[in-house]
Amino acid sequence: MSQSEISKAVVHLGNGELVGFPTDTVFGVAADPCQEAAVAALANLKGRDNTKPLSVLVEYMDQAISLLKFDDVALDLAEQHWPGGLTLVLRRIESVPAWIGDAHSRTVGVRSPDHPLALELLEVFGPLVVTSANKSGAAPALDADQAAEALGGGVAQYLEGTSLGVMPSTVVDLTKPAPLVLREGPVTL
């Protein structure tokens, strides 16, 4: 991927627009988490209601710790499985806006993807609110063509590439007394 394509994606994201890109699990579509209207546009495009909050992708731990409260269990799981197909649901720190994650429980799902293009975009832009590039209930897209077919012109730019996996990430809620698997995926705990 050329630097100019990454640079264009950063401009689109900064302008509150959506960008699609491949990850290690499925093809994703992202918004700037600091822009409430962009996050709302992402949820609307997806057709997602408020009962399923959107997750955040980070390059690695320094970005994650700037958003969420990590305990020893969360740190251990992140060190074992990041980058990779494990989303951790954690409580957000006080400075993180309510529109990121679940406003009621103050939790956010976060992961670091094991895909060079996704990591490059996250390194340059910073954390992103991301969901799979498909309408809610439909099969997730695995490449830019499938994503464009599913979401069309609601996305400003689709970065070329193919996802490395075929299923969404494993999601584990670490805000309960014991870790709770919310969705099975490529990582088994």
Side-chain angles (χ1 to χ4, degrees):
M1 178 64 50
S2 72
Q3 280 303 114
S4 66
E5 290 301 304
I6 294 287
S7 297
K8 283 196 288 191
V10 167
V11 169
H12 285 303
L13 290 163
N15 289 336
E17 298 171 303
L18 307 180
V19 171
F21 59 94
T23 75
D24 54 330
T25 56
V26 296
F27 205 88
V29 62
D32 179 354
C34 296
Q35 297 187 48
E36 185 176 10
V39 174
L42 179 58
N44 289 338
L45 178 67
K46 175 90 173 176
R48 197 159 193 172
D49 61 34
N50 293 342
T51 62
K52 290 181 74 178
L54 301 170
S55 293
V56 173
L57 288 186
V58 295
E59 180 191 15
Y60 199 58
M61 286 304 298
D62 58 336
Q63 290 180 359
I65 290 171
S66 73
L67 301 170
L68 304 164
K69 298 174 183 176
F70 277 77
D71 62 13
D72 290 341
V73 172
L75 287 170
D76 185 49
L77 287 171
E79 286 176 10
Q80 287 180 50
H81 300 287
W82 284 5
L86 178 64
T87 298
L88 302 175
V89 177
L90 302 166
R91 298 215 186 278
R92 65 178 182 254
I93 63 173
E94 296 302 317
S95 61
V96 172
W99 63 79
I100 298 174
D102 186 323
H104 177 70
S105 67
R106 301 191 50 76
T107 60
V108 178
V110 64
R111 81 179 188 95
S112 175
D114 192 11
H115 192 288
L117 178 57
L119 289 170
E120 184 178 356
L121 180 60
L122 292 163
E123 178 184 10
V124 174
F125 189 83
L128 292 168
V129 172
V130 178
T131 185
S132 56
N134 59 290
K135 296 290 185 179
S136 280
L142 299 178
D143 61 31
D145 291 336
Q146 290 177 5
E149 185 177 320
L151 300 176
V155 176
Q157 179 184 6
Y158 294 96
L159 296 173
E160 289 300 321
T162 301
S163 297
L164 304 176
V166 294
M167 67 174 62
S169 65
T170 301
V171 179
V172 178
D173 187 341
L174 296 178
T175 66
K176 310 293 183 200
L180 176 64
V181 176
L182 301 177
R183 180 177 69 199
E184 297 287 341
V187 173
T188 303
L189 299 182

